[in-house]
Amino acid sequence: MKNSSSSRALRFTESVIREMTRICLKHDGVNLAQGFPDFPAPAEIKEAARKAIQADLNQYAITWGEPNLRHAIAEKFAWYNGVTVDPETEITVCCGSTEAMISSLMAIVNSEEEVIVFEPFYENYGPDTILCDAKPRFITLREPGWRFDEEELTQTFNNKTKAIIINTPNNPTGKVFSREELQFIADLCLKWGVIAVTDEIYEHILYDEAKHISIASLPGMRDETITINSISKTYSLTGWRVGWAIAPAPLTASIRKVHDFLTVGAPHPLQEAAATALHIDRSYYETLAREYEERRDFLSGVLDDSGFRIYRPQGAYYIMTDVGHFGFSDDVAFALHLVEKFGLATVPGSSFYSRSSLGATKIRFCFPKKKETLEQAAEKLGHFKKEREE
Ligand SMILES: Cc1ncc(COP(=O)(O)O)c(C=O)c1O
């Protein structure tokens, strides 16, 4: 047997975030590492899934997605994002936005073409670019405002640039890209014929006065954009694995082929229930944002009181912090100390950067949790604070 792994698989490691979850379980800790809710999903959506299973919608769905769901996605995209698309030819339902992203990149990127990625980035984007044989070009978002350098971005676009990955609202920084920033990126995409691949799964989780803008809604960008989304975050259904890619018809034709041979399709009954989710009363989205804002304010206050330097998020459900002043050798040592000694799991900042030095003093906390869970985390942070004061 030629028992070696592919060079592709050897170029990335297992997910640090999911590893922190495993370490947390070993220490019976509180998990503020992996971004999944510990509170129930809306009852009417769960009921829709139960009914779909009882109605025996238990075989393969149409590869690129149940018509009901594709129509619901198109309707909601027109309402919330201001872009009209054809559900017959411009939507591919996938197994979560994770699969939508990798299927989209594999459908558009040729070997050695360049893909621009803002860092810190959601950790899947690194392996995604490796799996599609692209050459990633990283642009660093600089704290405290997590802005990019316009000149650096302009210089990075070239004839080999195929795509730019945008994630707004952003994981891990909580940044919400402004209209001006998106217009700047759009102008470069239009100039160089580059596709914007935008992950908008936190589009409804916004704080203060932040507004979500889809780059596909800017003039000329509808046909240059792949918009990726899922039910995971908006409806607290991360385990259902239903997401989608919205793209102009010629790109969708390629995405559908890659998707078909990667997974055949997303779970049929859960697609039916996802259509119900997308038709939920619109007041749901306001309540969702308000409840997340309360969680953000609670955890920000606790972290601040415990001595962390926090970057206050405008969206999504994470808080990036700086811990350089606590005197640990690096972010991994700090995160291990917090989980092993106090039972609180977080994510070391370096896992969001191409060069670990950029994240060596950063730690990410997530807060899609019940009040009781956040209170338990607060208690653990209280012990950490006490240790430092002794
Ligand atoms: C920015 C971002 N994109 C995608 C995902 C994964 O989403 P899905 O469950 O739809 O695959 C996550 C999960 O944390 C995320 O933060």
Side-chain angles (χ1 to χ4, degrees):
M1 184 176 70
K2 289 186 181 145
N3 63 348
S4 54
S5 301
S6 72
S7 53
R8 195 184 280 127
L10 291 172
R11 279 170 60 205
F12 53 91
T13 58
E14 273 189 51
S15 156
V16 176
I17 299 178
R18 295 183 272 282
E19 189 190 348
M20 283 308 289
T21 293
R22 290 192 290 272
I23 299 176
C24 184
L25 282 171
K26 210 164 87 188
H27 291 275
D28 199 18
V30 174
N31 188 353
L32 297 193
Q34 200 174 356
F36 60 85
D38 68 349
F39 45 82
E44 66 204 269
I45 309 177
K46 291 189 286 193
E47 180 58 15
R50 198 189 61 77
K51 280 194 181 141
I53 291 171
Q54 286 300 341
D56 247 325
L57 299 176
N58 294 315
Q59 310 309 324
Y60 301 123
I62 293 174
T63 297
W64 47 81
E66 264 307 286
N68 274 348
L69 177 55
R70 280 184 283 117
H71 282 264
I73 292 167
E75 252 173 61
K76 182 161 177 289
F77 200 48
W79 158 59
Y80 189 66
N81 310 78
V83 186
T84 307
V85 295
D86 180 353
E88 298 307 326
T89 57
E90 298 185 306
I91 294 174
T92 311
V93 175
C94 296
C95 297
S97 58
T98 300
E99 195 239 317
M101 178 61 80
I102 188 68
S103 289
S104 298
L105 291 177
M106 288 182 112
I108 61 170
V109 180
N110 292 306
S111 173
E112 289 303 300
E113 283 180 328
E114 296 182 3
V115 174
I116 300 176
V117 182
F118 291 106
E119 65 180 348
F121 52 83
Y122 170 54
E123 63 166 359
N124 281 31
Y125 303 156
D128 283 348
T129 56
I130 294 171
L131 287 170
C132 72
D133 266 349
K135 190 164 172 238
R137 299 286 308 269
F138 295 100
I139 296 286
T140 307
L141 299 170
R142 304 275 174 196
E143 62 272 27
W146 306 106
R147 292 187 65 85
F148 56 85
D149 183 291
E150 293 187 351
E151 186 51 30
E152 187 189 359
L153 186 64
T154 304
Q155 293 305 326
T156 304
F157 275 75
N158 67 74
N159 281 332
K160 285 199 232 130
T161 313
K162 189 59 175 274
I164 179 166
I165 299 179
I166 300 154
N167 170 217
T168 183
N170 184 261
N171 171 10
T173 63
K175 174 187 176 69
V176 177
F177 281 70
S178 68
R179 181 177 292 279
E180 292 68 33
E181 288 171 315
L182 292 171
Q183 189 61 61
F184 190 86
I185 298 168
D187 288 343
L188 287 168
C189 287
L190 292 167
K191 176 175 172 198
W192 292 96
V194 165
I195 299 166
V197 185
T198 170
D199 175 341
E200 303 187 358
I201 66 168
Y202 297 103
E203 64 180 353
H204 288 287
I205 303 178
L206 297 164
Y207 310 117
D208 309 323
E209 298 306 309
K211 292 258 176 306
H212 172 69
I213 293 164
S214 289
I215 195 166
S217 69
L218 299 185
M221 285 305 288
R222 185 197 178 287
D223 291 335
E224 292 287 325
T225 304
I226 303 178
T227 306
I228 286 172
N229 214 319
S230 87
I231 60 170
S232 288
K233 311 290 174 169
T234 304
Y235 308 100
S236 306
L237 293 165
T238 59
W240 280 20
R241 315 310 305 133
V242 179
W244 52 89
I246 302 174
L251 296 185
T252 292
S254 295
I255 295 168
R256 285 179 174 182
K257 281 194 285 180
V258 176
H259 157 73
D260 189 4
F261 289 103
L262 278 180
T263 66
V264 178
H268 189 166
L270 303 184
Q271 289 192 47
E272 283 298 324
T276 302
L278 268 68
H279 285 126
I280 204 163
D281 190 277
R282 289 181 188 175
S283 63
Y284 169 83
Y285 303 108
E286 281 157 38
T287 309
L288 181 84
R290 200 183 56 243
E291 289 178 355
Y292 269 118
E293 189 157 304
E294 283 166 17
R295 295 183 184 105
R296 177 200 65 166
D297 291 347
F298 176 78
L299 186 62
S300 301
V302 172
L303 287 169
D304 197 32
D305 184 55
S306 312
F308 289 77
R309 298 200 177 117
I310 62 169
Y311 301 107
R312 204 171 164 76
Q314 300 169 287
Y317 51 47
Y318 306 93
I319 300 178
M320 257 305 223
T321 63
D322 196 289
V323 297
H325 54 293
F326 289 142
F328 285 77
S329 55
D330 63 22
D331 56 320
V332 176
F334 182 84
L336 286 175
H337 179 74
L338 215 52
V339 68
E340 285 167 0
K341 180 136 193 222
F342 300 102
L344 182 59
T346 57
V347 182
S350 53
S351 56
F352 304 106
Y353 286 93
S354 58
R355 280 173 294 147
S356 36
S357 60
L358 290 170
T361 64
K362 297 189 180 76
I363 290 287
R364 189 198 76 176
F365 290 79
C366 77
F367 56 86
K369 305 293 169 192
K370 291 188 262 199
K371 185 118 205 291
E372 303 92 275
T373 311
L374 293 177
E375 279 164 355
Q376 283 166 19
E379 204 184 308
K380 291 177 185 303
L381 285 165
H383 296 147
F384 167 75
K385 183 180 171 191
K386 206 154 153 239
E387 175 193 60
R388 283 189 37 79
E389 288 166 351
E390 274 163 8

